[in-house]
Amino acid sequence: MSEQTTEMAPAQSRSEQAVRIIVHEHQALWRILDLLDQLLSDMNVNDQRPDERLLTTIFDYIQHFSQRVHSTPTDIELYKRLSEKSPETAPLLEKLAKGYVIGHEKLLELRRLLAECEESWPEGREEFSHALARFTEALRKHIRKEEGVVIPRARKLLTEEDWQQIIEARDVENDPLFGERVREEFRELRHQIVSYTPEKFGGLGLKHADRVTAPHAKQEMLSIKGLVTSYGQIEVLHDVDIHINSGEIVSLVGANGAGKSTLLMTISGLQPTDRGAITFEGKDLAKISADQRVANGIVQVPEGRQVFKDLSVHDNLLLGAYTRGKTPEVMDDLERMYTKFPILRQKRHNLAGELSGGQQQMLAMGRALMAKPRLLLLDEPSMGLAPLIVEEIFNIVKELKEEGITIFLVEQNASQALALADRGYVLETGKVVIEGTGRELLSNEKVREAYLGM
Ligand SMILES: Nc1ncnc2c1ncn2[C@@H]1O[C@H](COP(=O)(O)OP(=O)(O)OP(=O)(O)O)[C@@H](O)[C@H]1O
Ligand SMILES: [Mg+2]
């Protein structure tokens, strides 16, 4: 018997563990494929207009599945080792690997067809439903091959040492082979899918207007304790305590010069701290540079937009992804930015300096999103914009939250910012003086008087 039997938990070898996780995640994917079938027949048989948001979330999930798990170092290592041990499997593995690339393109096409079908419903239905049916069919085939051939052979032929090497190939940032972080992201996306799936298909039937906060979203994402920040001799932030839970929108309001921007810059690492601690997902940020913070998912949209005025819209967006390189995924994300902000597509060859204020704000947000933030720091995004555009900016912020991005929002526009927020803080001359839920702050006597003009 191996030494594993002496452990408290039921002993599981590396291979068993890995296979168990893969099978579990595959089962979830099967259920989602079944759901897609149901949505498809609802559309065709019951003449039901497709739910774009739900389908988009499902597509996000599938895309995530193929991007974050496959074509990662672990998967490459697995395929390599299996090909060596079982040369007759090599052609199949090669085909499966190619399948990811093709699937990826098909998914992009599906998103496009869905948008078209939504726009001119019921026109475009046939094209979309055919493409979707072909896609699910191909994906099912792919998974069947993985489950029927790849996993059994891997199980039989790969040794504990192989699995050890495969697992060690993981690059920690990406956390693949269904590592903890990837699974957490899947859970979040599944949670959204289940929430928005109609009850008749076994979902919760949540309307899109209602908020989704994942059950695990109460986890603390950012914690700031006893923070002191100065410019030279002048102390600007005094002993600030703030925390942000993952999935929340937290708003920060305060008068001019209160230190709001300084606080954001301290979080993003552009401004050094004198004292106190900032922790992000349990990690102490003290020794982590601004660039590394971006790579870790903390991304700021600075006050006054600060786009690169002499560069094209396109290049500005690409610069947002500088920590990620010019990979095919980045190009996909660019495409998604253009879908999210159609005006940026229209102006993609214009210099950023030629855009209006509102357009520049969208560009600044698009650029930040290209860095794949998990915590987005927004410094007065509505400043100086016409009411209609302000409305639009707040809508986008809401959307981003629904996509699972946590948001720290600094705003002069206190009533709208607090109405949107799960929680909020009031900063006065570098000190947090009030904190509470968005609703509590909106009805707070002092806040109403000082910031809402009531
Ligand atoms: N680079 C700097 N050097 C010295 N002092 C600074 C610097 N930046 C800001 N300050 C000072 O620090 C204090 C806080 O400024 P900060 O920009 O953080 O406030 P804010 O709340 O963002 O204000 P606003 O609403 O005007 O954007 C102010 O007194 C400001 O004058
Ligand atoms: Mg400011």
Side-chain angles (χ1 to χ4, degrees), residues 260-262 303 379-380 410:
K260 304 182 296 296
S261 298
T262 304
E303 194 175 352
D379 200 350
E380 309 212 25
V410 165

Side-chain angles (χ1 to χ4, degrees), residues 195-209:
S195 300
Y196 290 130
T197 294
E199 285 179 66
K200 62 177 172 181
F201 299 139
L204 295 171
L206 186 72
K207 300 274 183 304
H208 288 301

Side-chain angles (χ1 to χ4, degrees), residues 120-409:
S120 47
W121 177 261
E123 233 168 89
R125 166 188 9 209
E126 233 168 273
E127 208 182 340
F128 174 65
S129 70
H130 279 145
L132 185 56
R134 280 197 305 271
F135 181 82
T136 52
E137 175 67 26
L139 187 52
R140 283 198 165 92
K141 234 190 220 159
H142 183 108
I143 309 176
R144 269 193 213 108
K145 285 267 186 270
E146 279 196 344
E147 292 185 347
V149 181
V150 179
I151 295 176
R153 286 193 194 168
R155 201 174 214 161
K156 197 161 95 194
L157 298 171
L158 298 183
T159 62
E160 278 302 297
E161 197 206 336
D162 285 322
W163 283 106
Q164 189 62 34
Q165 295 290 325
I166 289 165
I167 287 159
E168 272 168 22
R170 70 204 282 270
D171 90 62
V172 182
E173 274 320 310
N174 269 322
D175 190 32
L177 194 74
F178 302 114
E180 246 331 294
R181 194 187 307 161
V182 167
R183 284 155 76 199
E184 163 105 356
E185 288 166 14
F186 284 152
R187 277 196 290 274
E188 170 70 39
L189 281 168
R190 271 207 297 273
H191 171 70
Q192 297 203 14
I193 292 170
V194 170
S195 300
Y196 290 130
T197 294
E199 285 179 66
K200 62 177 172 181
F201 299 139
L204 295 171
L206 186 72
K207 300 274 183 304
H208 288 301
D210 299 330
R211 286 194 185 153
V212 196
T213 310
H216 65 271
K218 290 289 155 265
Q219 274 176 15
E220 204 173 61
M221 182 181 235
L222 184 86
S223 147
I224 300 178
K225 293 220 165 80
L227 179 71
V228 176
T229 300
S230 314
Y231 293 109
Q233 300 292 321
I234 303 165
E235 195 176 295
V236 173
L237 297 178
H238 322 286
D239 206 14
V240 169
D241 287 354
I242 276 179
H243 71 275
I244 298 174
N245 299 319
S246 90
E248 282 185 322
I249 298 183
V250 176
S251 291
L252 177 72
V253 299
N256 288 121
K260 304 182 296 296
S261 298
T262 304
L263 177 58
L264 286 196
M265 290 193 291
T266 312
I267 297 171
S268 58
L270 299 169
Q271 184 63 41
T273 54
D274 290 4
R275 282 201 303 283
I278 308 181
T279 342
F280 179 68
E281 296 179 334
K283 210 188 289 178
D284 182 1
L285 292 185
K287 294 221 162 58
I288 299 191
S289 71
D291 275 3
Q292 285 172 311
R293 291 184 203 195
V294 172
N296 273 284
I298 304 178
V299 182
Q300 181 174 2
V301 180
E303 194 175 352
R305 354 260 191 238
Q306 301 185 19
V307 294
F308 298 100
K309 293 202 160 62
D310 296 325
L311 294 181
S312 69
V313 165
H314 186 85
D315 288 344
N316 265 278
L317 287 173
L318 278 182
L319 273 175
Y322 75 102
T323 57
R324 302 170 58 205
K326 208 169 171 175
T327 63
E329 284 147 48
V330 167
M331 299 321 279
D332 284 354
D333 287 344
L334 189 65
E335 194 51 38
R336 288 173 68 175
M337 279 320 126
Y338 284 145
T339 306
K340 191 184 264 310
F341 304 105
I343 186 66
L344 297 183
R345 189 195 297 278
Q346 194 183 309
K347 302 263 177 188
R348 66 188 178 281
H349 301 305
N350 287 69
L351 295 181
E354 296 165 1
L355 303 185
S356 72
Q359 292 165 349
Q360 285 191 18
Q361 184 61 47
M362 309 227 164
L363 177 56
M365 291 172 86
R367 187 181 62 188
L369 293 175
M370 287 297 290
K372 286 232 175 273
R374 271 173 298 125
L375 174 62
L376 187 66
L377 310 171
L378 291 170
D379 200 350
E380 309 212 25
S382 78
M383 190 169 54
L385 301 179
L388 210 56
I389 307 277
V390 172
E391 196 63 47
E392 177 66 9
I393 298 283
F394 281 106
N395 280 338
I396 293 167
V397 172
K398 247 191 273 181
E399 249 178 61
L400 295 178
K401 178 203 162 103
E402 279 172 14
E403 290 171 23
I405 301 177
T406 307
I407 292 160
F408 193 32
L409 174 66

Side-chain angles (χ1 to χ4, degrees), residues 241 243 423-426 432-437 440-441:
D241 287 354
H243 71 275
R423 292 187 306 108
Y425 293 90
V426 176
V432 171
V433 290
I434 308 174
E435 66 171 287
T437 64
E440 279 164 6
L441 293 195

Side-chain angles (χ1 to χ4, degrees), residues 52-160:
E52 190 174 9
R53 183 77 63 79
L54 174 59
L55 283 165
T56 300
T57 311
I58 295 177
F59 295 158
D60 288 347
Y61 181 86
I62 295 172
Q63 183 167 347
H64 224 64
F65 210 93
S66 68
Q67 266 178 12
R68 298 279 271 139
V69 181
H70 298 289
S71 40
T72 56
T74 39
D75 229 41
I76 291 166
E77 188 71 24
L78 192 153
Y79 278 26
K80 197 184 91 197
R81 283 174 183 267
L82 191 56
S83 291
E84 280 167 13
K85 298 249 157 108
S86 159
E88 73 278 13
T89 315
L92 172 66
L93 292 174
E94 205 168 298
K95 203 167 140 216
L96 288 176
K98 226 175 260 156
Y100 290 120
V101 180
I102 299 168
H104 211 61
E105 284 162 10
K106 295 286 176 215
L107 209 47
L108 275 179
E109 187 191 326
L110 275 180
R111 290 181 195 270
R112 186 176 55 76
L113 291 175
L114 172 62
E116 276 172 20
C117 167
E118 278 289 335
E119 218 175 275
S120 47
W121 177 261
E123 233 168 89
R125 166 188 9 209
E126 233 168 273
E127 208 182 340
F128 174 65
S129 70
H130 279 145
L132 185 56
R134 280 197 305 271
F135 181 82
T136 52
E137 175 67 26
L139 187 52
R140 283 198 165 92
K141 234 190 220 159
H142 183 108
I143 309 176
R144 269 193 213 108
K145 285 267 186 270
E146 279 196 344
E147 292 185 347
V149 181
V150 179
I151 295 176
R153 286 193 194 168
R155 201 174 214 161
K156 197 161 95 194
L157 298 171
L158 298 183
T159 62
E160 278 302 297

